[in-house]
Amino acid sequence: MSEMLIDVRNLSITIDTFRGPLQVVRNQDIVLHSGEVLGIVGESGCGKSVMVSSLMGLLPKKQANIKAERFTIGGKDCLGFDESHWNELRGTTIAMVFQDPMTSLNPILTIGEQIYEVIHRSHAYGKEYDARKIALDILTKMGLSSPERRLIQYPHELSGGMRQRVCIAMALAGRPNILICDEPTTALDITTEAQILRLLQDLAVELGIGIIFISHNLRIVAQLCDRVMVMYAGKCVESATVEDIFNNPRHPYTMGLLMSLPQEKWHGELKAIEGQPPDLYELPRGCSFTPRCKWAMRICGKQIPMISTVGNHHEYTCWLAKLEGL
Ligand SMILES: Nc1ncnc2c1ncn2[C@@H]1O[C@H](COP(=O)(O)OP(=O)(O)OP(=O)(O)O)[C@@H](O)[C@H]1O
Ligand code: SF4
Ligand SMILES: [Mg+2]
C-alpha cells in the first residue's frame, strides 16, 4: 500500500514585504503518496514556488509566517522545526531540483565532491560504503555519458542538460523519498527534456518515491503526472486525477488553461484567458477569478465558494457546482 509522504492541511503563508504582509498561499492542502507524481500548474506568481519552498524549510524565517493545521513530511511534524532539524530532513527525506541547475551547484567544487557530500550526509548507506561507486551508479542511471570523467569536472564544463541530470543525481544521492521539481526542464531543449521526464517517471515507479512536479507546460503534466493541482492566486481551485483534469475540467480557470493550449482545429489561434491574475495585495472579494470569469454570477464577487467533490476525489471551488446541485 502506498505511504503518505506529505500531509499538509490548511496551509497559509504570509510574507512580510515593504508594502506590508502579503498572503501568498491561502488555506491549501497538499497530500503526496509514495510512487505518485503530483503536478502543480498555474499562472506565474500564483504561489507555486513559495508553497513548495515551505515544504523544504527554505523560506526565510524572519520574513515568512507559515500556519497550518497539519504540516507532516515523511511522518514528522515539521511546523516548529529549527534549521538543524530542516538540515536533517533536507536531502535525506525530501530533496528539490530547481529550474536553473546553477542555483544548486557549487561552481568551485567538482561534480564528484558535491555528490559525495550528499552521500556522506545521508543515513541511508550505513557505516561502510563506497561513495565513488554510489555516485557513478547514480550518474549512469541519470544517463550521463562518461560518468568517471564527470566526477572530476566542474559545473561550467557541462551542458545545461548535463547539469540538470547532475542536479537530479545529487537530489537522489541522499535517497530521499520525496522529490520536488520546480520547472526542472524549462531551460532545456525538447529532446533532453523528454529524456529527463522519462527518467523522473521511471524513478517514481522503480524507487517508489513521491514527486511534486511544477510546470507551465500542461502537455508535460498530462504525460508525467498522476494527479494535478491547479492553483490560482495562492489557492488550489481544482484538484483531480490527470484524466479528470484534462477530460472533465470543472473550474472555469482550468478550462481556460486547457483552451489556451494550441489546437489544430483552431488553425493555430491561441485562446488566452483574458485579463491578468489579481494583485495579491488587493484580492477581489469572493472568488478570486471573478474579474476574468465569463460565467461569473452575483454571488461570485461576494462570497468565497466552498470545495465541491465529484467522482474520484475530484475537488473544485466554484459556485457553478451549486447550480449542478453539488
Ligand atoms: N521574498 C518575497 N518577498 C515578497 N514577495 C514575494 C517573495 N517571494 C515570493 N513573493 C511573491 O509571492 C507570490 C508567489 O510567488 P511564487 O514565486 O511562488 O510564484 P510562482 O507561482 O512560482 O510563479 P512562477 O510560475 O513565475 O515561478 C508572487 O506574487 C511573488 O511576488
Ligand atoms: S465561482 Fe464564479 S467567478 Fe469563480 S470560477 Fe466559479 S463561476 Fe467563475
Ligand atoms: Mg515559481
Side-chain angles (χ1 to χ4, degrees):
M1 212 180 111
S2 67
E3 184 191 346
M4 197 185 274
L5 301 173
I6 297 181
D7 185 9
V8 171
R9 307 290 168 154
N10 209 5
L11 170 70
S12 292
I13 303 174
T14 307
I15 295 181
D16 282 332
T17 72
F18 68 97
R19 281 177 68 188
L22 179 68
Q23 192 168 21
V24 176
V25 175
R26 295 175 294 134
N27 313 106
Q28 185 64 61
D29 292 350
I30 313 157
V31 174
L32 180 74
H33 291 92
S34 52
E36 178 181 52
V37 186
L38 169 66
I40 303 182
V41 299
E43 278 162 307
S44 192
C46 70
K48 305 180 294 294
S49 295
V50 168
M51 188 172 79
V52 294
S53 299
S54 76
L55 303 175
M56 289 282 294
L58 288 177
L59 294 177
K61 268 212 154 42
K62 283 189 181 152
Q63 208 194 351
N65 183 11
I66 301 174
K67 289 202 171 117
E69 270 167 30
R70 200 179 305 158
F71 198 92
T72 309
I73 296 170
K76 290 194 176 120
D77 176 7
C78 307
L79 207 52
F81 266 20
D82 59 20
E83 201 46 31
S84 67
H85 285 107
W86 277 115
N87 275 336
E88 275 280 301
L89 202 78
R90 274 195 296 258
T92 52
T93 300
I94 184 164
M96 188 155 170
V97 179
F98 297 87
Q99 177 178 355
D100 174 8
M102 286 312 260
T103 325
S104 345
L105 294 173
N106 187 333
I108 59 166
L109 294 179
T110 63
I111 302 300
E113 285 167 327
Q114 300 188 53
I115 299 181
Y116 301 153
E117 193 187 326
V118 180
I119 294 169
H120 295 323
R121 282 189 53 231
S122 171
H123 307 298
Y125 302 102
K127 285 196 178 128
E128 302 263 319
Y129 58 86
D130 182 342
R132 186 171 183 278
K133 183 174 177 307
I134 296 169
L136 282 173
D137 283 351
I138 299 176
L139 288 178
T140 308
K141 200 170 178 54
M142 290 303 113
L144 271 152
S145 58
S146 319
E148 288 88 356
R149 189 150 59 87
R150 306 299 168 211
L151 286 180
I152 52 168
Q153 284 183 310
Y154 289 88
H156 73 268
E157 296 177 82
L158 307 182
S159 71
M162 286 176 185
R163 285 200 283 258
Q164 198 55 300
R165 283 170 207 257
V166 167
C167 285
I168 300 174
M170 262 173 66
L172 294 173
R175 298 250 190 104
N177 40 22
I178 305 164
L179 183 67
I180 297 180
C181 302
D182 192 353
E183 301 186 51
T185 58
T186 312
L188 304 177
D189 66 86
I190 293 179
T191 317
T192 314
E193 180 175 57
Q195 289 167 355
I196 287 186
L197 293 173
R198 206 164 306 129
L199 249 168
L200 290 173
Q201 213 159 24
D202 291 348
L203 286 170
V205 176
E206 274 176 41
L207 305 181
I209 59 177
I211 299 179
I212 294 183
F213 187 85
I214 295 178
S215 179
H216 284 281
N217 190 327
L218 290 174
R219 292 199 192 285
I220 290 180
V221 169
Q223 282 168 26
L224 183 71
C225 300
D226 302 303
R227 219 154 41 85
V228 183
M229 272 168 57
V230 180
M231 281 187 75
Y232 189 77
K235 204 167 162 46
C236 176
V237 293
E238 184 159 9
S239 147
T241 62
V242 74
E243 290 81 13
D244 279 341
I245 287 284
F246 283 87
N247 299 330
N248 189 18
R250 295 289 186 131
H251 195 282
Y253 176 60
T254 312
M255 293 179 201
L257 283 181
L258 295 175
M259 292 284 281
S260 61
L261 284 172
Q263 309 246 349
E264 247 173 59
K265 61 183 175 193
W266 293 327
H267 305 291
E269 189 195 337
L270 296 181
K271 312 233 174 198
I273 305 173
E274 288 190 7
Q276 298 295 325
D279 181 346
L280 295 180
Y281 288 99
E282 291 170 30
L283 277 184
R285 269 180 68 205
C287 168
S288 316
F289 194 54
T290 309
R292 303 171 78 185
C293 182
K294 27 181 196 195
W295 288 286
M297 302 165 281
R298 196 174 295 168
I299 191 172
C300 301
K302 291 185 178 166
Q303 278 184 47
I304 296 174
M306 308 298 276
I307 296 177
S308 302
T309 307
V310 280
N312 182 14
H313 301 289
H314 185 162
E315 294 182 345
Y316 65 112
T317 49
C318 174
W319 284 117
L320 290 173
K322 291 289 160 242
L323 296 183
E324 294 176 33
L326 292 168

